[in-house]
Coordinates of all heavy atoms in Angstrom, one line a residue:
P3 N 127.8 -6.0 -21.5 CA 127.7 -5.3 -20.2 C 128.6 -4.1 -20.1 O 129.6 -4.1 -20.7 CB 128.1 -6.4 -19.2 CG 128.9 -7.4 -20.0 CD 128.3 -7.3 -21.4
T4 N 128.2 -3.1 -19.3 CA 129.1 -1.9 -19.1 C 129.4 -1.8 -17.7 O 128.6 -2.2 -16.8 CB 128.4 -0.7 -19.7 OG1 127.1 -0.6 -19.0 CG2 128.2 -0.7 -21.2
A5 N 130.5 -1.1 -17.4 CA 130.9 -0.8 -16.0 C 129.9 0.1 -15.3 O 129.5 1.1 -15.9 CB 132.3 -0.3 -16.0
S6 N 129.6 -0.2 -14.1 CA 128.7 0.7 -13.3 C 129.4 2.0 -13.0 O 130.5 2.0 -12.5 CB 128.3 0.0 -12.0 OG 127.7 -1.2 -12.3
P7 N 128.7 3.1 -13.3 CA 129.4 4.4 -13.0 C 129.4 4.7 -11.5 O 128.7 4.1 -10.7 CB 128.4 5.4 -13.7 CG 127.1 4.7 -13.7 CD 127.4 3.3 -13.9
T8 N 130.4 5.5 -11.1 CA 130.5 5.9 -9.7 C 129.3 6.8 -9.4 O 129.0 7.7 -10.1 CB 131.8 6.7 -9.5 OG1 132.9 5.9 -9.9 CG2 132.0 7.1 -8.1
Q9 N 128.7 6.5 -8.3 CA 127.6 7.3 -7.8 C 128.0 8.6 -7.2 O 128.8 8.6 -6.2 CB 126.7 6.5 -6.8 CG 126.0 5.3 -7.4 CD 125.1 5.6 -8.6 OE1 124.4 6.6 -8.5 NE2 125.1 4.9 -9.6
P10 N 127.6 9.8 -7.6 CA 128.1 11.0 -7.1 C 127.7 11.1 -5.6 O 126.6 10.7 -5.1 CB 127.3 12.1 -7.9 CG 126.9 11.4 -9.1 CD 126.7 10.0 -8.8
G11 N 128.7 11.6 -4.8 CA 128.5 11.8 -3.4 C 128.5 10.6 -2.5 O 128.1 10.7 -1.4
N12 N 128.8 9.4 -3.1 CA 128.8 8.2 -2.3 C 129.8 8.3 -1.2 O 130.9 8.8 -1.4 CB 129.1 7.0 -3.2 CG 127.9 6.3 -3.7 OD1 126.8 6.8 -3.6 ND2 128.1 5.2 -4.5
P13 N 129.5 7.9 0.0 CA 130.5 7.8 1.1 C 131.5 6.7 0.7 O 131.2 5.8 0.0 CB 129.7 7.4 2.3 CG 128.5 6.7 1.8 CD 128.2 7.4 0.5
L14 N 132.7 6.9 1.2 CA 133.7 5.9 1.0 C 133.4 4.6 1.7 O 132.7 4.7 2.7 CB 135.1 6.4 1.4 CG 135.6 7.6 0.5 CD1 136.8 8.2 1.1 CD2 135.9 7.1 -0.9
P15 N 133.9 3.4 1.3 CA 133.5 2.2 1.9 C 133.9 2.1 3.4 O 134.7 2.9 3.9 CB 134.4 1.2 1.1 CG 134.6 1.8 -0.2 CD 134.7 3.3 0.1
T16 N 133.3 1.1 4.1 CA 133.5 1.0 5.5 C 135.0 0.9 5.9 O 135.7 0.2 5.3 CB 132.8 -0.3 6.0 OG1 131.4 -0.1 5.6 CG2 132.9 -0.4 7.5
A17 N 135.4 1.6 6.9 CA 136.8 1.6 7.3 C 137.2 0.4 8.1 O 136.4 -0.3 8.7 CB 137.1 2.8 8.2
S18 N 138.5 0.0 8.0 CA 139.0 -1.0 8.8 C 139.6 -0.5 10.1 O 140.3 -1.2 10.8 CB 140.1 -1.8 8.0 OG 141.1 -0.9 7.6
F19 N 139.5 0.8 10.4 CA 140.0 1.4 11.6 C 138.9 2.2 12.2 O 137.9 2.6 11.5 CB 141.2 2.2 11.4 CG 141.0 3.4 10.5 CD1 140.8 4.6 11.0 CD2 141.1 3.2 9.1 CE1 140.6 5.7 10.1 CE2 140.9 4.3 8.3 CZ 140.7 5.5 8.8
T20 N 139.0 2.6 13.5 CA 137.9 3.4 14.1 C 138.2 4.9 13.9 O 139.3 5.3 14.3 CB 137.9 3.1 15.6 OG1 137.6 1.7 15.8 CG2 136.8 3.9 16.3
P21 N 137.3 5.6 13.3 CA 137.6 7.1 13.1 C 137.7 7.8 14.5 O 137.0 7.4 15.4 CB 136.4 7.5 12.3 CG 135.8 6.3 11.7 CD 136.1 5.2 12.7
S22 N 138.5 8.8 14.5 CA 138.6 9.6 15.7 C 138.9 11.0 15.3 O 139.4 11.3 14.3 CB 139.7 9.0 16.6 OG 141.0 9.1 16.0
V23 N 138.5 12.0 16.2 CA 138.8 13.4 15.9 C 140.0 13.8 16.8 O 140.0 13.6 18.0 CB 137.6 14.2 16.3 CG1 137.9 15.7 16.1 CG2 136.4 13.8 15.4
V24 N 141.0 14.3 16.1 CA 142.2 14.7 16.8 C 142.3 16.2 16.7 O 142.0 16.8 15.6 CB 143.5 14.1 16.2 CG1 144.7 14.5 16.9 CG2 143.3 12.6 16.2
A25 N 142.7 16.9 17.8 CA 142.6 18.4 17.8 C 143.4 19.0 16.7 O 143.0 20.0 16.1 CB 143.1 18.8 19.2
N26 N 144.6 18.5 16.4 CA 145.5 19.1 15.4 C 145.3 18.5 14.0 O 146.0 18.7 13.1 CB 146.9 19.0 15.8 CG 147.4 17.6 15.8 OD1 146.7 16.7 16.0 ND2 148.7 17.4 15.7
G27 N 144.3 17.6 13.9 CA 144.0 17.0 12.6 C 142.8 17.8 12.0 O 142.4 18.8 12.5
L28 N 142.3 17.3 10.9 CA 141.2 18.0 10.2 C 139.9 17.7 10.9 O 138.9 18.4 10.6 CB 141.2 17.5 8.7 CG 142.3 17.9 7.8 CD1 142.2 17.4 6.5 CD2 142.4 19.5 7.8
G29 N 139.8 16.6 11.6 CA 138.6 16.3 12.3 C 137.6 15.6 11.4 O 136.4 15.4 11.8
L30 N 137.9 15.3 10.2 CA 137.0 14.6 9.3 C 137.8 13.4 8.7 O 138.8 13.5 8.0 CB 136.6 15.5 8.1 CG 135.8 16.7 8.5 CD1 135.7 17.6 7.3 CD2 134.4 16.3 8.9
I31 N 137.4 12.2 9.1 CA 138.1 11.0 8.8 C 137.4 10.2 7.8 O 136.3 9.6 8.1 CB 138.4 10.1 10.1 CG1 138.9 11.0 11.2 CG2 139.3 9.0 9.8 CD1 140.2 11.7 10.9
P32 N 137.8 10.2 6.5 CA 137.1 9.3 5.5 C 137.2 7.9 5.9 O 138.2 7.4 6.6 CB 137.9 9.6 4.2 CG 138.6 10.9 4.5 CD 138.9 10.9 6.0
N33 N 136.3 7.1 5.5 CA 136.3 5.6 5.8 C 136.8 5.0 4.5 O 136.1 4.9 3.5 CB 134.9 5.1 6.1 CG 134.4 5.7 7.4 OD1 135.2 5.9 8.3 ND2 133.1 5.9 7.5
W34 N 138.0 4.4 4.6 CA 138.6 3.9 3.4 C 138.8 2.3 3.5 O 139.2 1.8 4.5 CB 140.0 4.4 3.3 CG 140.1 5.9 2.9 CD1 139.2 6.5 2.1 CD2 141.0 6.9 3.4 NE1 139.5 7.8 2.0 CE2 140.6 8.1 2.8 CE3 142.0 6.8 4.3 CZ2 141.3 9.3 3.1 CZ3 142.7 8.0 4.5 CH2 142.3 9.2 3.9
Q35 N 138.4 1.7 2.4 CA 138.7 0.3 2.2 C 138.8 0.1 0.7 O 137.9 0.4 0.0 CB 137.7 -0.6 2.9 CG 137.9 -2.1 2.7 CD 136.9 -2.9 3.4 OE1 136.6 -2.7 4.6 NE2 136.2 -3.8 2.7
V36 N 139.9 -0.5 0.2 CA 140.0 -0.7 -1.2 C 139.0 -1.7 -1.7 O 138.9 -2.8 -1.2 CB 141.5 -1.1 -1.5 CG1 141.6 -1.4 -3.0 CG2 142.5 0.0 -1.1
P37 N 138.2 -1.3 -2.7 CA 137.2 -2.3 -3.3 C 137.9 -3.4 -4.1 O 139.0 -3.3 -4.5 CB 136.4 -1.4 -4.2 CG 137.3 -0.3 -4.6 CD 138.3 -0.1 -3.5
A38 N 137.1 -4.5 -4.3 CA 137.6 -5.6 -5.1 C 137.6 -5.2 -6.5 O 136.9 -4.3 -7.0 CB 136.6 -6.8 -4.9
L39 N 138.5 -5.8 -7.3 CA 138.6 -5.5 -8.7 C 137.4 -6.0 -9.5 O 137.0 -7.1 -9.3 CB 139.9 -6.2 -9.3 CG 140.3 -5.8 -10.7 CD1 140.7 -4.3 -10.8 CD2 141.4 -6.7 -11.2
S40 N 136.8 -5.1 -10.3 CA 135.6 -5.4 -11.0 C 136.0 -6.3 -12.2 O 137.1 -6.3 -12.7 CB 135.0 -4.1 -11.5 OG 133.9 -4.4 -12.4
T41 N 135.0 -7.1 -12.6 CA 135.2 -8.0 -13.8 C 134.5 -7.4 -15.0 O 134.4 -8.1 -16.0 CB 134.6 -9.4 -13.5 OG1 133.2 -9.3 -13.1 CG2 135.4 -10.1 -12.4
D42 N 134.0 -6.2 -14.9 CA 133.4 -5.6 -16.0 C 134.4 -5.3 -17.2 O 135.6 -5.1 -16.9 CB 132.8 -4.2 -15.6 CG 131.6 -4.4 -14.7 OD1 131.0 -5.5 -14.7 OD2 131.2 -3.4 -14.0
P43 N 133.9 -5.4 -18.4 CA 134.9 -5.2 -19.5 C 135.4 -3.8 -19.6 O 134.8 -2.8 -19.1 CB 134.0 -5.5 -20.8 CG 132.6 -5.2 -20.3 CD 132.5 -5.6 -18.9
L44 N 136.6 -3.6 -20.3 CA 137.1 -2.3 -20.4 C 136.3 -1.5 -21.4 O 135.7 -2.0 -22.3 CB 138.6 -2.4 -20.9 CG 139.6 -3.1 -20.0 CD1 140.9 -3.1 -20.6 CD2 139.6 -2.4 -18.6

């Protein structure tokens, strides 16, 4: 078995916080959640 490649342009995983647009921020809030460790071979 081989590790699944990252799909180009995939959105980041579902966030654990609610995105919001702040005037002095960038206004683009990535949705971050650290994925589980894969069991694929090195």
Side-chain angles (χ1 to χ4, degrees):
T4 56
S6 300
T8 303
Q9 295 299 319
N12 270 3
L14 293 169
T16 303
S18 58
F19 63 94
T20 303
S22 62
V23 176
V24 180
N26 64 337
L28 292 177
L30 295 170
I31 312 301
N33 294 327
W34 291 322
Q35 179 177 309
V36 175
L39 187 66
S40 171
T41 57
D42 290 339
L44 296 181

